[in-house]
Amino acid sequence: GRQQVGAAQLGQPLGQRATLLQFSSEFCAPCRATRKILEDVASEDDGVRHVEVDAAERVDLVRLLDVRRTPTVFVLGPDGRVARRGSGLMRREDVLAALGEIRSAVIPYQAGGK
């Protein structure tokens, strides 16, 4: 079904409510602009984390998620499932809309099994 990224794969914890996973490359102006937007959104919500990865360093994740350009942003739900993806400069409204979708999605919470 949907693609999923775990904390172990990421090398750091997921946000409790959502993770904004950004793939960037070194000389990429839209990556910097996107980072600012995502950091702002994450700073306003305790449950949301922004995680930025260098596409060149994480070829495993690039292949797993089929990243073709930078920046590419994945909005992950609390379980690491991809709720939304976008490439190029992400607008704040788009990010907030995706977070709203996660919040309103009625996902039955299953205790135990990760």
Side-chain angles (χ1 to χ4, degrees):
R2 277 205 167 151
Q3 290 164 310
Q4 191 165 9
V5 181
Q9 278 168 304
L10 215 48
Q12 48 184 308
L14 295 171
Q16 283 185 304
R17 223 165 48 67
T19 302
L20 307 173
L21 174 58
Q22 176 182 351
F23 286 83
S24 297
S25 50
E26 222 178 327
F27 303 103
C28 165
C31 293
R32 289 195 289 277
T34 297
R35 175 190 309 135
K36 177 87 183 79
I37 291 166
L38 299 183
E39 280 177 350
D40 282 353
V41 170
S43 71
E44 289 161 14
D45 191 326
D46 285 344
V48 178
R49 292 200 66 201
H50 171 235
V51 176
E52 187 173 9
V53 297
D54 185 319
E57 287 173 16
R58 294 302 309 266
V59 178
D60 57 329
L61 289 177
V62 164
R63 287 207 185 107
L64 175 74
L65 295 168
D66 193 29
V67 174
R68 294 166 188 268
R69 55 180 287 205
T70 57
T72 294
V73 175
F74 294 88
V75 180
L76 308 177
D79 58 356
R81 280 184 202 279
V82 175
R84 169 91 65 100
R85 73 176 281 166
S87 56
L89 179 58
M90 283 282 273
R91 294 180 326 162
R92 187 185 162 85
E93 304 83 82
D94 296 336
V95 178
L96 293 174
L99 291 174
E101 283 168 23
I102 291 173
R103 198 178 291 128
S104 62
V106 185
I107 303 162
Y109 178 73
Q110 278 149 355
K114 275 274 181 271

